[in-house]
Amino acid sequence: MARTVPAVNRALDILELFLAEGALAASDITARLGLPRTTVHELVNTLVDRGYLVAEPSAPIRYQLGMRLFELGGLFADRLDLARQAQHAATEVAAACDESVHVAILDGAEVVYIAKVDSTHSVRMVSAVGRRLPAHCTAVGKMLLSALPPEALDARYPHDRPLQPMTPNSITTPAGLRTQLAEIRQAGVAYDDCESNEAVACVAVGVFDHTGRMVAAMSVSVPTVRWTDQRREQWTDLVRTGAATLSRRLGHPDGPPTRHGS
């Protein structure tokens, strides 16, 4: 079993006391957890300083949960809603084309798949819900990377560091990646030409939230034996419609999107 940090455990124990109480004094926390008074004061002061607790102007001073926890909880709720809505939207697109449909988010230089609907055709995919793949090797990843500001892209992909490929078709140079991202940014659509799976091609479009920020990307993945120029256009139109539908469900108004945050 991995080692845990006692101080972090104690801080979390303090926060979890507030699941049953709206406000607590330091003496209440000391009594309930059986910790030394000095330790409780140090931990509480740290939590207040970081915004996880706020002090009420009372005697004795009592503490309540702070806005930082509200922000984290709101973000978690948004992610849950995104995953739920993504699965619904992916199901609708998959039903229209009978190909595999994915929705992914960006985490650093990787994508994390939050929704997937498989085709009824037999095909081996390297993706799965919860799995991570290098963003530069996937259509969804390149779509999401295209929305990053230059400084955020530079932090993930320094100009002097080669990129690790997944297949012979993967992008391997930072310059090549930036050239392709500029094209994707202009076109509003990204393609994966057997870059993560030698037998599969993909098309992806961005998904936007109520602020106009790209928060995910949706793709249709098709074995190369069924991938033709004519059908590529059909799948592109279909994934554009599916991504737009998901964006509307997330509250995105019609209008020009904005870039990712860093």
Side-chain angles (χ1 to χ4, degrees):
M1 181 181 294
R3 293 181 59 188
T4 60
V5 181
V8 175
N9 280 328
R10 290 168 182 164
L12 293 174
D13 287 340
I14 290 173
L15 292 176
E16 289 175 0
L17 288 177
F18 290 87
L19 293 173
E21 299 285 348
L24 292 167
S27 58
D28 298 325
I29 296 171
T30 300
R32 297 188 188 196
L33 296 181
L35 296 173
R37 185 175 60 180
T38 301
T39 299
V40 168
H41 279 283
E42 290 175 348
L43 289 169
V44 167
N45 287 339
T46 301
L47 292 169
V48 169
D49 185 63
R50 296 294 298 270
Y52 291 93
L53 292 178
V54 292
E56 292 181 340
S58 60
I61 294 175
R62 294 169 66 81
Y63 300 91
Q64 292 183 335
L65 295 178
M67 286 299 297
R68 192 62 174 163
L69 285 169
F70 178 79
E71 293 171 4
L72 290 173
L75 178 61
F76 180 68
D78 286 346
R79 287 290 175 89
L80 285 178
D81 189 57
L82 173 58
R84 183 168 54 250
Q85 294 292 348
Q87 190 67 35
H88 291 323
T91 298
E92 292 169 0
V93 174
C97 64
D98 196 19
E99 300 293 352
S100 296
V101 180
H102 303 85
V103 180
I105 59 175
L106 186 65
D107 185 18
E110 298 177 317
V111 291
V112 181
Y113 291 91
I114 62 171
K116 179 185 180 183
V117 179
D118 287 314
S119 167
T120 61
H121 302 289
S122 176
V123 58
R124 184 185 67 83
M125 290 286 178
V126 295
S127 59
V129 172
R131 183 169 184 186
R132 294 170 175 268
L133 290 179
H136 68 279
C137 294
T138 68
V140 285
K142 289 186 290 184
M143 189 71 246
L144 289 161
L145 292 174
S146 75
L148 291 175
E151 60 273 16
L153 187 65
D154 292 344
R156 290 165 171 82
Y157 300 97
H159 290 266
D160 61 350
R161 186 182 302 168
L163 309 182
Q164 293 300 312
M166 289 186 69
T167 75
N169 281 12
S170 302
I171 300 171
T172 57
T173 66
L177 176 62
R178 284 168 172 79
T179 296
Q180 194 165 134
L181 294 183
E183 296 170 353
I184 292 168
R185 201 174 296 119
Q186 181 70 28
V189 62
Y191 294 97
D192 168 354
D193 182 18
C194 304
E195 295 163 56
S196 61
N197 184 329
E198 291 186 62
V200 176
C202 306
V203 53
V205 174
V207 174
F208 302 88
D209 68 6
H210 66 283
T211 69
R213 185 172 67 97
M214 189 186 295
V215 293
M218 175 183 285
S219 70
V220 172
S221 300
V222 184
T224 53
V225 294
R226 293 198 295 276
W227 185 269
T228 65
D229 289 342
Q230 179 181 4
R231 299 194 73 183
R232 184 183 82 160
E233 294 305 314
Q234 296 172 352
W235 288 316
T236 300
D237 290 342
L238 187 60
V239 77
R240 282 188 191 276
T241 300
T245 297
L246 178 53
S247 297
R248 284 193 297 272
R249 291 174 182 171
L250 297 176
H252 174 60
D254 293 333
T258 60
R259 282 184 165 183
H260 247 303
S262 59

